[in-house]
mmCIF file of all heavy atoms in Angstrom:
data_model
loop_
_atom_site.group_PDB
_atom_site.id
_atom_site.type_symbol
_atom_site.label_atom_id
_atom_site.label_comp_id
_atom_site.label_asym_id
_atom_site.label_seq_id
_atom_site.Cartn_x
_atom_site.Cartn_y
_atom_site.Cartn_z
ATOM 1 N N LYS A 4 -8.410 -1.553 15.831
ATOM 2 C CA LYS A 4 -9.009 -0.272 15.534
ATOM 3 C C LYS A 4 -9.241 -0.260 14.059
ATOM 4 O O LYS A 4 -8.297 -0.644 13.233
ATOM 5 C CB LYS A 4 -7.904 0.854 15.927
ATOM 6 C CG LYS A 4 -7.879 1.183 17.339
ATOM 7 C CD LYS A 4 -6.972 2.229 17.545
ATOM 8 C CE LYS A 4 -6.930 2.637 19.109
ATOM 9 N NZ LYS A 4 -5.987 3.804 19.335
ATOM 10 N N SER A 5 -10.383 0.258 13.598
ATOM 11 C CA SER A 5 -10.622 0.351 12.143
ATOM 12 C C SER A 5 -9.966 1.432 11.528
ATOM 13 O O SER A 5 -9.433 2.477 12.251
ATOM 14 C CB SER A 5 -12.152 0.466 11.922
ATOM 15 O OG SER A 5 -12.586 1.771 12.536
ATOM 16 N N ILE A 6 -9.774 1.387 10.209
ATOM 17 C CA ILE A 6 -9.129 2.545 9.520
ATOM 18 C C ILE A 6 -9.882 3.847 9.685
ATOM 19 O O ILE A 6 -9.277 4.965 9.885
ATOM 20 C CB ILE A 6 -9.067 2.217 8.087
ATOM 21 C CG1 ILE A 6 -8.115 0.918 7.826
ATOM 22 C CG2 ILE A 6 -8.576 3.372 7.186
ATOM 23 C CD1 ILE A 6 -7.949 0.547 6.375
ATOM 24 N N ALA A 7 -11.213 3.729 9.686
ATOM 25 C CA ALA A 7 -12.083 4.891 9.883
ATOM 26 C C ALA A 7 -11.734 5.566 11.287
ATOM 27 O O ALA A 7 -11.668 6.823 11.452
ATOM 28 C CB ALA A 7 -13.557 4.650 9.873
ATOM 29 N N THR A 8 -11.653 4.707 12.291
ATOM 30 C CA THR A 8 -11.349 5.218 13.660
ATOM 31 C C THR A 8 -9.928 5.893 13.658
ATOM 32 O O THR A 8 -9.760 6.942 14.238
ATOM 33 C CB THR A 8 -11.388 4.083 14.704
ATOM 34 O OG1 THR A 8 -12.699 3.506 14.719
ATOM 35 C CG2 THR A 8 -11.083 4.619 16.125
ATOM 36 N N ARG A 9 -9.009 5.259 13.017
ATOM 37 C CA ARG A 9 -7.607 5.797 12.997
ATOM 38 C C ARG A 9 -7.642 7.167 12.241
ATOM 39 O O ARG A 9 -6.857 8.127 12.646
ATOM 40 C CB ARG A 9 -6.652 4.773 12.323
ATOM 41 C CG ARG A 9 -6.392 3.532 13.304
ATOM 42 C CD ARG A 9 -5.667 2.551 12.573
ATOM 43 N NE ARG A 9 -4.599 2.990 11.875
ATOM 44 C CZ ARG A 9 -3.955 2.291 10.785
ATOM 45 N NH1 ARG A 9 -4.373 1.169 10.459
ATOM 46 N NH2 ARG A 9 -2.957 2.823 10.185
ATOM 47 N N TRP A 10 -8.343 7.202 11.103
ATOM 48 C CA TRP A 10 -8.366 8.477 10.464
ATOM 49 C C TRP A 10 -9.032 9.507 11.217
ATOM 50 O O TRP A 10 -8.583 10.712 11.208
ATOM 51 C CB TRP A 10 -9.176 8.232 9.077
ATOM 52 C CG TRP A 10 -9.355 9.549 8.437
ATOM 53 C CD1 TRP A 10 -8.475 10.107 7.438
ATOM 54 C CD2 TRP A 10 -10.520 10.326 8.335
ATOM 55 N NE1 TRP A 10 -8.977 11.305 7.029
ATOM 56 C CE2 TRP A 10 -10.298 11.413 7.528
ATOM 57 C CE3 TRP A 10 -11.794 10.233 9.049
ATOM 58 C CZ2 TRP A 10 -11.163 12.454 7.326
ATOM 59 C CZ3 TRP A 10 -12.592 11.299 8.894
ATOM 60 C CH2 TRP A 10 -12.449 12.369 8.035
ATOM 61 N N PHE A 11 -10.167 9.198 11.957
ATOM 62 C CA PHE A 11 -10.800 10.207 12.757
ATOM 63 C C PHE A 11 -9.905 10.796 13.828
ATOM 64 O O PHE A 11 -9.896 11.998 14.094
ATOM 65 C CB PHE A 11 -12.005 9.539 13.373
ATOM 66 C CG PHE A 11 -12.882 10.630 14.013
ATOM 67 C CD1 PHE A 11 -13.817 11.347 13.411
ATOM 68 C CD2 PHE A 11 -12.738 10.744 15.486
ATOM 69 C CE1 PHE A 11 -14.700 12.293 14.028
ATOM 70 C CE2 PHE A 11 -13.577 11.758 16.128
ATOM 71 C CZ PHE A 11 -14.468 12.496 15.410
ATOM 72 N N ILE A 12 -9.113 9.798 14.520
ATOM 73 C CA ILE A 12 -8.296 10.299 15.563
ATOM 74 C C ILE A 12 -7.023 11.033 14.972
ATOM 75 O O ILE A 12 -6.729 12.122 15.463
ATOM 76 C CB ILE A 12 -7.800 9.095 16.378
ATOM 77 C CG1 ILE A 12 -9.008 8.452 17.090
ATOM 78 C CG2 ILE A 12 -6.755 9.443 17.332
ATOM 79 C CD1 ILE A 12 -8.755 7.100 17.833
ATOM 80 N N ASN A 13 -6.457 10.502 13.975
ATOM 81 C CA ASN A 13 -5.111 11.044 13.507
ATOM 82 C C ASN A 13 -5.364 12.140 12.506
ATOM 83 O O ASN A 13 -4.468 13.048 12.470
ATOM 84 C CB ASN A 13 -4.415 9.895 12.872
ATOM 85 C CG ASN A 13 -4.063 8.832 13.780
ATOM 86 O OD1 ASN A 13 -3.977 8.990 14.950
ATOM 87 N ND2 ASN A 13 -3.895 7.635 13.222
ATOM 88 N N SER A 14 -6.475 12.233 11.751
ATOM 89 C CA SER A 14 -6.653 13.319 10.728
ATOM 90 C C SER A 14 -7.729 14.291 10.993
ATOM 91 O O SER A 14 -7.447 15.471 11.111
ATOM 92 C CB SER A 14 -6.766 12.659 9.367
ATOM 93 O OG SER A 14 -5.789 11.735 9.037
ATOM 94 N N PHE A 15 -8.890 13.744 11.122
ATOM 95 C CA PHE A 15 -10.142 14.614 11.336
ATOM 96 C C PHE A 15 -10.035 15.376 12.606
ATOM 97 O O PHE A 15 -10.311 16.611 12.671
ATOM 98 C CB PHE A 15 -11.390 13.830 11.305
ATOM 99 C CG PHE A 15 -12.632 14.714 11.514
ATOM 100 C CD1 PHE A 15 -13.079 15.470 10.325
ATOM 101 C CD2 PHE A 15 -13.364 14.734 12.650
ATOM 102 C CE1 PHE A 15 -14.196 16.182 10.460
ATOM 103 C CE2 PHE A 15 -14.354 15.434 12.759
ATOM 104 C CZ PHE A 15 -14.913 16.252 11.645
#
Side-chain angles (χ1 to χ4, degrees):
K4 286 185 178 180
S5 66
I6 292 178
T8 302
R9 288 168 51 196
W10 174 83
F11 186 84
I12 294 174
N13 298 333
S14 300
F15 182 75

